[in-house]
Amino acid sequence: MKILEVLKKYDIKTEELDAFTSRREAFRKLASFGKSVAFAAIPAGMVAGSTQNASAAHIPTVINVLNFALTLEYLEGEYYTTGINSPGLIPAGKDMAIFETIEKHEVDHVAFLKAAIASYGGTPVEKPTFDFTAGGNFSPFTDYEQFLILAQAFEDTGVRAYKGQAGNLIEENSALTAALQIHSVEARHASEVRRLRGLKGWITQAERGTGMPAATQAVYNGEDNLIQGGVDVTTVTPIGSDGITESFDEPLTTEEVLTIAGLFIAQA
Amino acid sequence: MSKQTLLDESNAALSQNKGDRRKFLKFSGAAIATTGILLSGCQEVFEALPNARTEGKGPAMRSVPLGKGDIGILNYAYALEQLEAAFYLQVVATMYSGISESEMVMMEDIKNHEVAHRDFLKAALGKNAIVDLNFDFSSVDFSDRDSVLATAKVFEDLGVAAYNGAGQLLESPDYLLIAGKIVSVEARHAAAIRSIYDNDFTSFAGDDIIDANGLDRAFSPTTVLEAAAPFIMNKIIANQLPTS
C-alpha cells in the first residue's frame, strides 16, 4: 500500500471529535511529564501555558501531521533496530554507542507519537512494511558504508520533514512544542551521523556530501536557498554563500518527504 | 558630562567588580548548564553586590526592552545570536592553544553561522531591532580548550532550548519557519561541540538533555535569559514578551 493511502485510511473520524477535550488534556500531561521530571527548571507556567482554548477545527490537521511524523519514526526506528541487531554490521565502541543512542530516541518517538495521536482522539497509523533495500538497490544491513549512507539520508530528511510541518501545528502549542523538541533531536542525530561519515555536521549549499549516491540527492535539493523571509541574506552579512546556506536548514513538503520515504516502503 | 567620561566610569566600575564576578561565575558554572533556578539565586546575590553592573549608567549598561509580540520574540532570538556571534568571534580571533585543524574549521564554521543568524535577524527586524549588546566573557579563558568548549556547549544547548520554547510564542507561520530553519543548525552545532568536548560517545544527544520521550529541551525566555544574564552586560527587559 502506498504511504499516502496509508495516511488517508487513518484519517480522523467525526464521531471521535467529542472525545478531543479530555484526550487532549491527557496528551498535555504526557507531553509535560517527561519535561517536568527531567528538567525541574522549566517554570510550571510554561507547561500550563501550552494549553489553548482553540476550537477543535484544527485537530484533524494536527493528527494527520502526527501520523505523518509517526510513519517517519517507524521507518527510522525499524532501520536502527535492525541495524544494531545485525551481527558484525556496526563496529563495537563508538559507532555502536552512537547508533544505540539514536535507535533509543527513534523508538521513544514512536511511542510518544502514538500516545499523542490517541490523546487527540486519532488512530495511530500502523507500521508499514519497509524495504530498506529500496527494491534491491541498497544493502544496508550487510554493508556498513551503505548503512551509514541511509542513516544520513534518513536523519537529514527527518530534520527537513519536521520543519515543513511546524506551520501546520501553529494552532496547537503542545503538539508544536513537542514536534520542535523531536526536530532538534533529529538534527543532533544528523550532525553526528554526518560527522561519523567524515562530513561536516551541517549542509553546505545543496551538496549531499562525499560518498552519498546520486539517488539521495532529493534529500538535499533546495538547501542552497539564500533568501530568508524575503531577505537576500548575501546582502546583509559579510559571510559567504556557503556559510549562509549552512546557517539555515530548509523544509521539505509532505509530498517531497513521501517521495523519499516511499522508496523504502514495500508496495503491497 | 561627556559620553566618553560616562563610559570610562562604567568601565572602572566593571573592572572593580571583576574579581567578585569571576568568583561568582566559577561557582555557578555547573548551574548554568543544568538549571535556571540555582543560577537565578546566584544572580540575585550578585546584583546585591556593591557596584553591581545593573546600577551603572554608562552606555554599556543600557537597558534593552525586547518589545512585544512576534517582534519581541525575534529580538529575543537576535539577542541570543548576538551573544553567540560575539563569543565565536572571540574564539576564532584567539584560537585556544593546541587546537587541531579540524576543530579550527569547526569553530570558523560555527562563527560564520552565528554571524549570519545575527545579521539576518537584524535586517529582518529593521527599525524594530534592539541595539548592539555588550558582552562580558571574563569568565571564559579563551586560550583554554576546556573553557571554550564548555561555554560553547552551554550556549548551543541553550540556543536549542530557547528556540524550541519560543516556537509556540510566535503568531506568524513565516517567523515560525525561520526559527525552525535556525534551531536545527544550532542543534547540529550542539551535537558537534558535545561530540568533541565530552568524553562520552552518546553525548551528542545525551540523557542529560534528551528526556525519556526522546524530546530535547524547551525553555521559556525567562529561563534562557537568566542563564544568559551573566554574559550580557545590558539588562534585557523581557516583560512584554508573549507567554503563550
Side-chain angles (χ1 to χ4, degrees):
Chain A
M1 190 185 294
K2 286 216 160 96
I3 192 167
L4 276 171
E5 291 160 13
V6 174
L7 290 172
K8 276 186 191 125
K9 187 179 163 198
Y10 288 96
D11 263 3
I12 183 75
K13 298 180 189 69
T14 46
E15 63 266 27
E16 289 172 335
L17 283 168
D18 292 340
F20 276 151
T21 313
S22 59
R23 285 173 178 170
R24 285 171 65 196
E25 196 52 43
F27 171 45
R28 283 190 194 100
K29 283 180 184 149
L30 173 76
S32 61
F33 177 73
K35 284 187 286 195
S36 56
V37 170
F39 307 110
I42 294 180
M46 184 183 169
V47 175
S50 62
T51 299
Q52 282 169 300
N53 57 358
S55 76
H58 63 278
I59 295 299
T61 301
V62 170
I63 290 169
N64 281 344
V65 170
L66 296 178
N67 263 325
F68 171 70
L70 175 59
T71 305
L72 293 178
E73 298 292 350
Y74 277 141
L75 182 146
E76 291 182 313
E78 184 170 312
Y79 184 71
Y80 295 115
T81 302
T82 307
I84 64 177
N85 288 301
S86 297
L89 179 69
I90 302 175
K94 178 182 179 181
D95 294 43
M96 186 57 96
I98 289 169
F99 284 112
E100 282 176 346
T101 300
I102 295 177
E103 191 260 358
K104 179 181 68 178
H105 295 154
E106 310 302 7
V107 170
D108 288 345
H109 293 163
V110 167
F112 178 81
L113 289 168
K114 278 174 143 174
I117 291 161
S119 74
Y120 281 110
T123 305
V125 292
E126 286 176 30
K127 185 159 83 169
T129 302
F130 294 111
D131 168 20
F132 293 109
T133 74
N137 288 303
F138 293 96
S139 46
F141 304 124
T142 52
D143 180 336
Y144 187 53
E145 284 308 308
Q146 297 209 9
F147 180 80
L148 289 170
I149 284 168
L150 288 188
Q152 178 184 323
F154 290 153
E155 295 300 338
D156 278 332
T157 299
V159 174
R160 301 189 68 177
Y162 275 93
K163 202 184 317 294
Q165 297 303 319
N168 291 328
L169 299 175
I170 199 164
E171 302 282 331
E172 188 60 25
N173 283 346
S174 51
L176 171 61
T177 301
L180 288 172
Q181 290 174 281
I182 295 177
H183 171 242
S184 62
V185 172
E186 302 295 340
R188 289 175 186 268
H189 294 172
S191 176
E192 189 70 5
V193 172
R194 295 174 63 88
R195 295 184 64 257
L196 191 57
R197 290 193 63 255
L199 300 179
K200 291 179 175 184
W202 24 92
I203 301 165
T204 310
Q205 302 290 349
E207 294 167 9
R208 59 183 183 269
T210 304
M212 294 293 281
T216 62
Q217 185 56 38
V219 175
Y220 300 96
N221 287 340
E223 282 283 3
D224 51 353
N225 177 34
L226 293 166
I227 313 292
Q228 302 297 345
V231 176
D232 179 347
V233 185
T234 60
T235 66
V236 300
T237 184
I239 304 303
S241 77
D242 282 2
I244 294 170
T245 59
E246 290 167 359
S247 306
F248 296 88
D249 281 337
E250 298 296 322
L252 285 174
T253 66
T254 307
E255 295 293 323
E256 287 166 339
V257 173
L258 293 179
T259 301
I260 294 166
L263 295 173
F264 301 96
I265 294 178
Q267 307 296 310
Chain B
M1 192 183 290
S2 75
K3 243 187 184 171
Q4 189 53 48
T5 318
L6 271 177
L7 189 61
D8 290 342
E9 278 198 359
S10 65
N11 284 342
L14 259 186
S15 45
Q16 195 182 341
N17 195 39
K18 231 171 186 174
D20 294 328
R21 199 172 155 66
R22 212 181 275 273
K23 243 182 282 168
F24 158 75
L25 281 165
K26 257 194 192 130
F27 174 69
S28 67
I32 296 172
T34 50
T35 86
I37 287 172
L38 185 54
L39 183 61
S40 164
C42 299
Q43 185 65 14
E44 280 169 25
V45 171
F46 172 64
E47 282 175 359
L49 293 172
N51 298 321
R53 70 184 191 283
T54 45
E55 288 171 19
K57 293 188 178 76
M61 308 303 183
R62 187 162 162 186
S63 291
V64 178
L66 296 176
K68 56 188 176 183
D70 282 2
I71 295 294
I73 297 298
L74 292 183
N75 266 325
Y76 163 57
Y78 177 42
L80 296 177
E81 297 294 351
Q82 283 194 49
L83 170 67
E84 289 188 306
F87 171 72
Y88 287 105
L89 282 165
Q90 185 64 52
V91 170
V92 301
T94 54
M95 293 280 196
Y96 49 80
S97 38
I99 189 169
S100 68
E101 185 70 27
S102 66
E103 289 183 8
M104 209 180 289
V105 171
M106 185 187 289
M107 294 302 140
E108 185 70 34
D109 277 1
I110 298 179
K111 179 268 290 177
N112 286 344
H113 305 163
E114 307 301 4
V115 169
H117 291 161
R118 180 197 68 187
D119 293 349
F120 161 73
L121 284 166
K122 182 175 186 173
L125 280 156
K127 64 177 171 46
N128 294 309
I130 56 170
V131 296
D132 293 352
L133 302 175
N134 293 290
F135 300 103
D136 178 354
F137 295 121
S138 59
S139 62
V140 183
D141 179 353
F142 284 92
S143 69
D144 179 64
R145 183 177 184 273
D146 281 353
S147 179
V148 168
L149 294 184
T151 310
K153 175 179 162 182
V154 170
F155 285 167
E156 297 297 347
D157 284 335
L158 190 64
V160 172
Y163 280 101
N164 281 350
Q168 65 167 349
L169 305 178
L170 287 166
E171 296 288 332
S172 156
D174 295 336
Y175 294 151
L176 176 61
L177 177 59
I178 285 169
K181 291 180 180 204
I182 294 176
V183 65
S184 54
V185 175
E186 303 293 349
R188 290 174 189 270
H189 295 167
I193 295 285
R194 285 174 156 262
S195 186
I196 63 167
Y197 176 55
D198 288 326
N199 191 22
D200 172 1
F201 296 135
T202 71
S203 176
F204 67 98
D207 289 343
D208 57 325
I209 36 166
I210 312 300
D211 73 15
N213 289 317
L215 306 185
D216 211 323
R217 303 189 299 182
F219 283 172
S220 71
T222 306
T223 301
V224 171
L225 289 170
E226 276 174 6
F231 302 98
I232 304 177
M233 291 166 72
N234 308 74
K235 186 168 178 64
I236 304 288
I237 313 289
N239 59 4
Q240 286 183 297
L241 290 187
T243 53
S244 68

